[in-house]
Amino acid sequence: MVNICLICDFFYPCLGGVEMHIFQLGLCLIERGHKVIVITHKYQGRSGVRYMTNGLKVYYCPFIPAIQTVVLFTYIGTLPLFRQILLREEIHIVHSHAATSYLGGELLLHAKSMGFKTVFTDHSLFAFNDAASFHVNKILKYILCETDHSISVSHVSKENLSMRASLDPREISVIPNAVDCNKFTPNPQKRYPLNKINIVVICRMTYRKGVDLLVDVLQIICKQHPEVYFIIGGDGPKKRILEDTIQRYHLQNQTELLGSVPSHQVKDVLNRGHIFLNTSLTEAFCIAIVEAASCGLCVVSTNVGGIKEVLPQNMVLYANPTPSDICDKITLAIPLSKNFQVYQQHELVKQMYSWEQVAERTEKVYYQILQKSNQTLLKRFKDCFSNGQIYGLYLMILLILDLVFLVILDILQPNQRIQKSVIFNQVYKKQKEKFGDHSFKSEQNI
């Protein structure tokens, strides 16, 4: 049995690809006999320790998000609490998710200083020519140079991560996302409104998800195909643009905005449609199109990032990320969707993806890194300086501070479990010398 800590800024009650990946992976690892905990920051209405399905233990730590659902990179500020949790739960492996989760990055560094094995899973693609991606990549390079192993959700994501963080591709495994197909079953009888071709869109209303593309496509398709009805779910900063477009072009009779859709209602929304539309500008792995395909919808998606690795060409129509090409593919999908083999497609998707396979492959990564020896302190200093003279010196100072604070915490807050074990061994030795072996047979008897 391996004791595993999954950590990320993004977790329930927020719903998305990263959140569902952590939740489903944790449940499957528990079913395989491992102990799993999740560490995240507090959300509105959720703080402290909570237990979820199958006893999945979640620590909602008292850290306030600064931007959306991401906390600031405080480094030393989170160390005392993280140390107590990791020691109390007797963790063996710390597994962080998402490059933009600074909470996860901090714990990876602290865990390495404490001697734990570390794993990182990347879920997104990042560029090299904008300020935000530049800073994310610099921080990620420092964090991952000390991480024992990395995981990407697609081969495109693996190549992107290798270049961004200057990692050896042999130290990156590709383990795709998955979908619980038993929860996404087709039901064509739920399609409404009737006598329409319903196009479903469910995504976060952000620039990366291609909402600006969706706005242009909406105008063209509604004008060319009066029989089309758009069902749009999701929330975010770009939602206002969508609402203004619908009002300006009087598309209320052909569109329906659902707002944020709870996870347990996603299947019902998908079953209303004939076609699922994804207009993302970048994706490492798009779970949404797998869920839609499992529900028997004809999928139209932009051909960006690792999307082409997700579904075979007979299940999806790929389009260039331009309004004209997306509209052309929707026009092709409309007659196909009328006689689509929904149940046959569901069975095919069910054979392709399962969380049990993801957990099994992740488990192999855990066993692999547990056999590795930890990095020496000299190697960690060299890794810091590999990031440049000025930035490397700054990182080395952070590493020294981390180690110094750990020594101080070990003095002020000793590990009670280690102390208890030492005391037990001393008592056991004395009793054995005095009374023989039969007085104390196991630690459970105390």
Side-chain angles (χ1 to χ4, degrees):
M1 183 183 76
V2 181
N3 297 345
I4 305 155
C5 171
L6 305 177
I7 180 167
C8 188
D9 277 296
F10 314 110
F11 195 65
Y12 185 84
C14 287
L15 300 172
V18 177
E19 293 86 345
M20 293 307 299
H21 182 105
I22 296 172
F23 178 71
Q24 294 289 352
L25 177 61
L27 295 184
C28 289
L29 289 172
I30 290 174
E31 290 178 358
R32 297 182 67 85
H34 303 291
K35 176 183 176 180
V36 181
I37 67 167
V38 177
I39 297 179
T40 186
H41 59 73
K42 71 174 184 179
Y43 285 86
Q44 186 175 5
R46 280 187 172 261
S47 60
V49 181
R50 298 292 185 96
Y51 286 88
M52 302 182 71
T53 308
N54 291 349
L56 180 62
K57 191 175 184 179
V58 184
Y59 284 87
Y60 288 95
C61 298
F63 306 127
I64 301 175
I67 302 174
Q68 294 183 356
T69 59
V70 179
V71 301
L72 289 175
F73 192 83
T74 59
Y75 200 62
I76 299 300
T78 58
L79 178 57
L81 181 57
F82 282 159
R83 175 183 172 275
Q84 285 292 330
I85 295 174
L86 296 181
L87 294 178
R88 179 187 303 169
E89 299 293 343
E90 298 180 335
I91 295 300
H92 303 132
I93 294 176
V94 175
H95 189 169
S96 175
H97 292 258
T100 54
S101 173
Y102 294 130
L103 190 68
E106 283 188 43
L107 186 50
L108 285 181
L109 296 174
H110 296 326
K112 184 52 64 176
S113 297
M114 296 173 67
F116 297 108
K117 301 297 182 180
T118 55
V119 182
F120 170 77
T121 296
D122 196 15
H123 293 263
S124 302
L125 301 176
F126 284 87
F128 301 87
N129 57 352
D130 61 273
S133 297
F134 174 78
H135 290 293
V136 170
N137 295 341
K138 288 289 287 184
I139 295 174
L140 191 65
K141 180 181 177 182
Y142 167 55
I143 293 172
L144 296 191
C145 70
E146 299 192 11
T147 303
D148 293 295
H149 201 80
S150 299
I151 298 172
S152 292
V153 294
S154 66
H155 291 278
V156 171
S157 175
K158 175 181 177 178
E159 183 179 353
N160 180 260
L161 178 62
S162 176
M163 292 188 293
R164 286 161 46 213
S166 301
L167 291 177
D168 186 345
R170 292 171 295 183
E171 295 298 323
I172 306 175
S173 299
V174 177
I175 302 177
N177 280 316
V179 168
D180 187 354
C181 293
N182 294 322
K183 295 181 179 179
F184 291 91
T185 54
N187 189 353
Q189 296 179 353
K190 289 189 175 182
R191 289 174 175 169
Y192 69 94
L194 301 175
N195 302 321
K196 293 281 188 179
I197 299 297
N198 301 327
I199 300 178
V200 177
V201 180
I202 301 179
C203 68
R204 289 174 178 165
M205 299 297 171
T206 60
Y207 172 78
R208 189 175 69 86
K209 292 296 183 179
V211 177
D212 299 289
L213 270 179
L214 177 61
V215 167
D216 295 333
V217 170
L218 196 66
Q219 303 171 36
I220 299 171
I221 292 297
C222 287
K223 184 177 180 180
Q224 294 179 351
H225 302 277
E227 75 278 12
V228 164
Y229 187 83
F230 279 89
I231 303 168
I232 304 172
D235 202 354
K238 288 282 186 177
K239 184 180 178 183
R240 184 60 182 270
I241 298 175
L242 201 59
E243 293 173 340
D244 292 343
T245 302
I246 292 172
Q247 293 179 358
R248 184 181 302 112
Y249 294 95
H250 308 290
L251 304 177
Q252 291 86 348
N253 294 331
Q254 288 183 266
T255 56
E256 180 180 346
L257 292 180
L258 303 177
S260 180
V261 180
S263 59
H264 64 277
Q265 296 180 6
V266 171
K267 183 186 78 169
D268 297 330
V269 175
L270 290 173
N271 281 326
R272 290 182 57 185
H274 299 81
I275 300 171
F276 181 82
L277 177 61
N278 172 54
T279 58
S280 294
L281 298 178
T282 175
E283 286 281 2
F285 184 102
C286 187
I287 292 182
I289 65 174
V290 182
E291 294 173 347
S294 181
C295 288
L297 276 70
C298 179
V299 178
V300 176
S301 174
T302 48
N303 186 12
V304 295
I307 286 183
K308 202 163 187 177
E309 302 177 29
V310 179
L311 293 173
Q313 293 185 356
N314 60 341
M315 290 187 183
V316 57
L317 295 175
Y318 294 109
N320 295 323
T322 60
S324 59
D325 199 33
I326 295 173
C327 292
D328 291 341
K329 295 302 186 293
I330 292 176
T331 302
L332 292 175
I334 289 174
L336 293 175
S337 63
K338 295 178 181 178
N339 299 309
F340 210 64
Q341 302 297 320
V342 295
Y343 295 102
Q344 289 84 339
Q345 178 164 292
H346 170 74
E347 291 301 322
L348 290 173
V349 175
K350 192 174 182 180
Q351 295 173 11
M352 294 167 59
Y353 291 103
S354 73
W355 285 111
E356 289 76 14
Q357 294 177 4
V358 173
E360 182 181 356
R361 295 170 67 175
T362 306
E363 184 184 55
K364 291 180 180 178
V365 172
Y366 293 158
Y367 287 137
Q368 177 186 342
I369 65 172
L370 285 172
Q371 298 174 2
K372 290 183 176 180
S373 58
N374 287 330
Q375 290 181 340
T376 62
L377 187 59
L378 180 60
K379 175 65 166 59
R380 297 187 68 187
F381 284 142
K382 288 181 178 179
D383 289 337
C384 289
F385 275 114
S386 68
N387 290 272
Q389 294 182 352
I390 298 177
Y391 185 55
L393 180 61
Y394 168 73
L395 296 177
M396 193 183 71
I397 294 173
L398 289 182
L399 175 57
I400 294 173
L401 286 175
D402 197 27
L403 296 172
V404 170
F405 269 87
L406 277 173
V407 172
I408 295 173
L409 288 172
D410 287 338
I411 297 173
L412 299 178
Q413 300 175 349
N415 184 1
Q416 298 298 322
R417 291 183 179 273
I418 294 177
Q419 282 190 333
K420 180 180 176 182
S421 177
V422 171
I423 294 172
F424 167 75
N425 290 334
Q426 293 174 350
V427 173
Y428 177 79
K429 186 177 181 180
K430 291 180 180 179
Q431 292 292 333
K432 183 179 178 181
E433 292 175 353
K434 187 175 182 180
F435 299 105
D437 238 354
H438 61 278
S439 58
F440 282 83
K441 292 186 178 181
S442 67
E443 187 174 346
Q444 286 85 2
N445 294 333
I446 295 183

